[in-house]
């Protein structure tokens, strides 16, 4: 269990570095928050019995890949794939499995991007490759999934059909919200880029200095140039 905790800390550190670097370079943070967890020994044993897997340390190590888990919650859908790409580009991270439940949602409406990765943990006498499950989703997806889990836990998985249908409809509403917010995000980014380009026109690079040119001067200059033509 200690080895899995080390693997979790290693992956969490990588995500924190990517998050802070992205913020520094792009002046934007694609990650809302990160949550980590380690499966309890009881949960591991239940999963072994459920899958009819022999009970041994080696069997657990090779068959249960979600003992260490990280949930990365993002602002927008595009952020999910951006973060996934950054993780996959890490040279010492090996992607074992990738499941895209965003493009192919589960029947109940569940959406998320799942990665199973292997990350090396450098011990005092050896190197251990540890499996870590990473779930990447938006705030809306995470909100829906958390409530859906609580409802199923309350009803002990025997949820009435009417509530199951309403949960699926709620997932569709959450998806519509994500798509709307993505559209607004793209429009705001476009306006910001356009304003940035227009502001750059107000400056003239002269040697190593930037000379500010008033907008009225630029308009008069362009008008005079057109009249000379």
């Amino acid at each position: 269990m200690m080895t899995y905790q080390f693997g979790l800390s290693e992956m969490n550190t990588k995500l924190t570095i990517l998050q802070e670097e992205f913020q520094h370079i792009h002046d934007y943070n694609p990650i809302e928050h990160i949550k980590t967890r380690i499966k309890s020994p009881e949960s591991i044993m239940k999963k072994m019995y459920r899958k009819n897997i022999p009970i041994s340390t080696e069997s657990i190590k090779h068959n249960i890949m979600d003992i260490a888990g990280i949930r990365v919650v993002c602002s927008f859908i595009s952020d999910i794939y951006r973060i996934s790409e950054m993780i996959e580009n890490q040279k010492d991270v090996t992607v074992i499995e990738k499941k895209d439940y965003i493009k192919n949602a589960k029947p109940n409406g569940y959406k998320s991007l799942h990665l199973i990765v292997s990350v090396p943990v450098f011990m005092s006498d050896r190197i251990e490759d540890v499996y870590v499950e990473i779930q990447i989703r938006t705030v809306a997806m995470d909100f829906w999934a958390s409530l859906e889990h609580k409802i199923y836990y309350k009803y002990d998985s025997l949820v009435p059909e009417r509530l199951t249908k309403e949960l699926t409809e709620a997932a569709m509403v959450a998806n519509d919200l994500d798509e709307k917010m993505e559209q607004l995000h793209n429009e705001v980014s476009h306006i910001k880029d356009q304003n940035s380009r227009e502001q750059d026109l107000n400056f003239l690079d002269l040697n190593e200095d930037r000379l500010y040119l008033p907008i009225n001067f630029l308009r008069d200059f362009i008008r005079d140039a057109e009249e000379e033509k």
Side-chain angles (χ1 to χ4, degrees), residues 100-112 171-172 175:
D100 191 340
Y101 294 117
I102 298 172
K103 293 179 180 176
N104 301 290
K106 289 187 176 182
N108 65 347
Y110 174 86
K111 286 193 169 189
S112 184
M172 295 171 65
N175 182 66

Side-chain angles (χ1 to χ4, degrees), residues 97-99 101 110 112-116 133-135:
E97 186 177 87
K98 182 176 182 178
K99 291 184 178 180
Y101 294 117
Y110 174 86
S112 184
L113 182 68
H114 290 196
L115 295 175
I116 299 291
E133 181 192 50
I134 305 173
Q135 297 179 355

Side-chain angles (χ1 to χ4, degrees), residues 72-83:
V72 181
V73 179
C74 309
S75 306
F76 305 102
I77 296 174
S78 56
D79 291 333
I80 294 175
Y81 294 102
R82 185 178 291 116
I83 291 165

Side-chain angles (χ1 to χ4, degrees), residues 150-161:
K150 289 179 181 179
I151 290 172
Y152 268 81
Y153 181 80
K154 181 178 180 179
Y155 281 93
D156 195 23
S157 299
L158 300 175
V159 180
E161 185 178 349

Side-chain angles (χ1 to χ4, degrees), residues 17 29 33 41 90-92 118 120 143-144 157 167 199 227:
I17 291 172
N29 183 5
H33 60 264
Q90 295 275 306
K91 290 186 177 180
D92 57 346
S118 175
F143 176 71
W144 180 90
S157 299
L167 277 170
Q199 289 174 6
E227 288 178 356

